[in-house]
Amino acid sequence: MAISKNYLKTKPVCKITFEVPSEAESLSVVGDFNNWDLQSTQLKKLKNGKFKGNINLEKGKQYEFKYVADGTNYFNDEQADAYLFNDYAGSENGVLSL
């Protein structure tokens, strides 16, 4: 798995690129930045079997997130900046620190 951050010079945002190998049919990134909505940030499946996608997030904040494979299997990214336990979900979420 890979997360890359590109801080834009002309705007107070960071372009986040997610690249995730998976055998799933679909893969989404959900988090507090999109109200945990499965449909709003779907990653594109590439020919090499990886999923890839970008989002722009405001600098100077932290965001909790997870990946969701095939709409039901939630998992964290091993390259998250940190992990926080979420009482609602009863599990840890990955954290992006920008």
Side-chain angles (χ1 to χ4, degrees):
M1 289 183 254
I3 299 173
S4 61
K5 300 175 185 176
N6 183 18
Y7 292 91
L8 304 180
K9 294 179 182 178
T10 58
K11 297 180 182 178
V13 298
C14 181
K15 180 179 179 180
I16 309 295
T17 300
F18 300 97
E19 191 169 335
V20 183
S22 176
E23 302 210 4
E25 292 298 316
S26 67
L27 193 73
S28 298
V29 179
V30 297
D32 50 14
F33 51 83
N34 66 6
N35 294 317
W36 302 91
D37 180 11
L38 291 171
Q39 302 304 316
S40 74
T41 312
Q42 293 184 345
L43 303 181
K44 182 179 179 180
K45 190 168 189 173
L46 305 176
K47 290 181 182 180
N48 65 6
K50 293 182 180 181
F51 286 84
K52 190 173 184 177
N54 302 305
I55 56 171
N56 290 335
L57 297 174
E58 186 178 343
K59 291 183 200 176
K61 294 187 175 188
Q62 285 191 335
Y63 301 92
E64 291 185 39
F65 77 103
K66 280 193 174 209
Y67 297 114
V68 186
D70 297 329
T72 57
N73 299 320
Y74 287 76
F75 63 98
N76 283 317
D77 193 307
E78 59 197 32
Q79 292 186 350
D81 296 324
Y83 300 94
L84 288 176
F85 188 80
N86 181 289
D87 288 330
Y88 179 76
S91 66
E92 286 187 329
N93 292 329
V95 175
L96 288 171
S97 298
L98 306 179

